[in-house]
Amino acid sequence: MLHLFKNVKMPSPPEEMQTTHLTSFDITIDSEIISGSFEPRFEMVALGSANGYLYIINKDQQVFRSPKSVNYPLLKLISLPNASSFFSICSKTMFKRHPSKCEKPNPYNLTMLNDIRPSKIENKCTQWIIKPDRILSRTVELNFDIVDVAISPVHPEFAMMLTAEGSLYGFSIESLNFTNLYINIFEGKPVKSICWASGYKFLVA
C-alpha cells in the first residue's frame, strides 16, 4: 500500500496557474492564526484567522490575504484536492472546544480567539476559491451546531457533518447545502469527531 502511494503522481497544474500570480502586497497580520491546511497539487498553504481572514502562502513563499473577512473565526480549514479551493467552518460547539481557547501570551497585541464573545458565534461555513488573480468566497449559514466535518480527498465535492446531537448529515460543497443523507445511529452518544477513511467511508469517534 505504501509503495502504491509513493508512486502516485499528482496531475500537473494548468499553464495558466503556472504563469499567473496573485498580486502581492504588504500584509499585516492583526489576528491570531487558529487553523491551517495544505493543498498538495498547487502547493498552497492556507491559514485561517480568528477575525475571519484567509491567508494563502504559495510555493514561492508569497503571502496573500482574502480581500474581506467572512466575519467568523475560521476554526477549521480543509483543502479540496485538485481544486485550488479550501473549506472553512465555524460553530458554537467547535468554538467552545477549540484548542486556541486558552490563556496565552499576546506580545503583538493580536485579536485572539478568546477576545471573541460566544454570543457572536454563528454556525457558518465557506468555500474559498483561489484564482490566479483573486480569492473568492461563498458563505452560508448552517441549520445545525456542528461538532466536526470531514471531506473525502477522492470526492472533495462531498462532506460529512457531525452535529452536537450526534446526527450525521451529507453536505454538498458545490451547492453549499445539505443533501438528503441523514444517519441517526450516533444520536444521544458522546461522539466528538469524524474523519475520512477511504472512498465514501468515514470513521466516527
Side-chain angles (χ1 to χ4, degrees), residues 11 14 21 26 29 33 39 42 55 77 82-83 104 109 135 162 171-172 184-185 203:
H21 299 284
D26 292 334
I29 296 179
I33 299 299
E39 204 292 314
F42 298 106
Y55 294 86
L77 271 174
N82 301 324
K104 49 185 170 299
N109 197 29
I135 299 175
L162 176 65
F171 189 84
S172 168
N184 63 3
I185 60 174
L203 302 177

Side-chain angles (χ1 to χ4, degrees), residues 43-54:
E43 300 181 30
M44 292 186 297
V45 174
L47 302 174
S49 70
N51 62 358
Y53 282 97
L54 182 79

Side-chain angles (χ1 to χ4, degrees), residues 71-110:
N71 297 317
Y72 71 80
L74 307 186
L75 299 176
K76 184 169 185 174
L77 271 174
I78 304 175
S79 69
L80 306 179
N82 301 324
S84 66
S85 182
F86 294 87
F87 181 81
S88 65
I89 189 168
C90 173
S91 74
K92 297 181 183 297
T93 296
M94 294 177 73
F95 176 75
K96 293 177 184 177
R97 296 178 178 177
H98 198 278
S100 288
K101 290 279 293 177
C102 62
E103 295 297 329
K104 49 185 170 299
N106 185 13
Y108 300 105
N109 197 29
L110 302 176

Side-chain angles (χ1 to χ4, degrees), residues 8-160:
V8 170
K9 290 190 65 177
M10 299 298 289
S12 300
E15 184 66 24
E16 180 186 18
M17 294 295 293
Q18 294 180 357
T19 59
T20 307
H21 299 284
L22 292 170
T23 302
S24 60
F25 54 92
D26 292 334
I27 293 177
T28 300
I29 296 179
D30 56 2
S31 176
E32 178 184 13
I33 299 299
I34 58 173
S35 61
S37 183
F38 176 68
E39 204 292 314
R41 179 183 177 187
F42 298 106
E43 300 181 30
M44 292 186 297
V45 174
L47 302 174
S49 70
N51 62 358
Y53 282 97
L54 182 79
Y55 294 86
I56 295 293
I57 306 174
N58 65 17
K59 62 181 180 180
D60 298 320
Q61 298 184 3
Q62 295 172 309
V63 183
F64 310 94
R65 192 183 74 174
S66 58
K68 62 180 181 178
S69 165
V70 289
N71 297 317
Y72 71 80
L74 307 186
L75 299 176
K76 184 169 185 174
L77 271 174
I78 304 175
S79 69
L80 306 179
N82 301 324
S84 66
S85 182
F86 294 87
F87 181 81
S88 65
I89 189 168
C90 173
S91 74
K92 297 181 183 297
T93 296
M94 294 177 73
F95 176 75
K96 293 177 184 177
R97 296 178 178 177
H98 198 278
S100 288
K101 290 279 293 177
C102 62
E103 295 297 329
K104 49 185 170 299
N106 185 13
Y108 300 105
N109 197 29
L110 302 176
T111 299
M112 307 295 282
L113 189 61
N114 270 344
D115 296 333
I116 300 174
R117 289 181 292 176
S119 61
K120 297 291 185 181
I121 297 299
E122 298 178 308
N123 304 316
K124 291 184 176 182
C125 68
T126 299
Q127 181 190 15
W128 299 90
I129 303 167
I130 316 303
K131 295 288 187 179
D133 58 346
R134 62 195 183 278
I135 299 175
L136 306 177
S137 61
R138 303 189 301 146
T139 300
V140 295
E141 293 189 15
L142 299 171
N143 298 328
F144 307 102
D145 183 11
I146 303 300
V147 172
D148 200 7
V149 59
I151 297 175
S152 165
V154 181
H155 304 283
E157 71 283 358
F158 177 78
M160 285 291 291

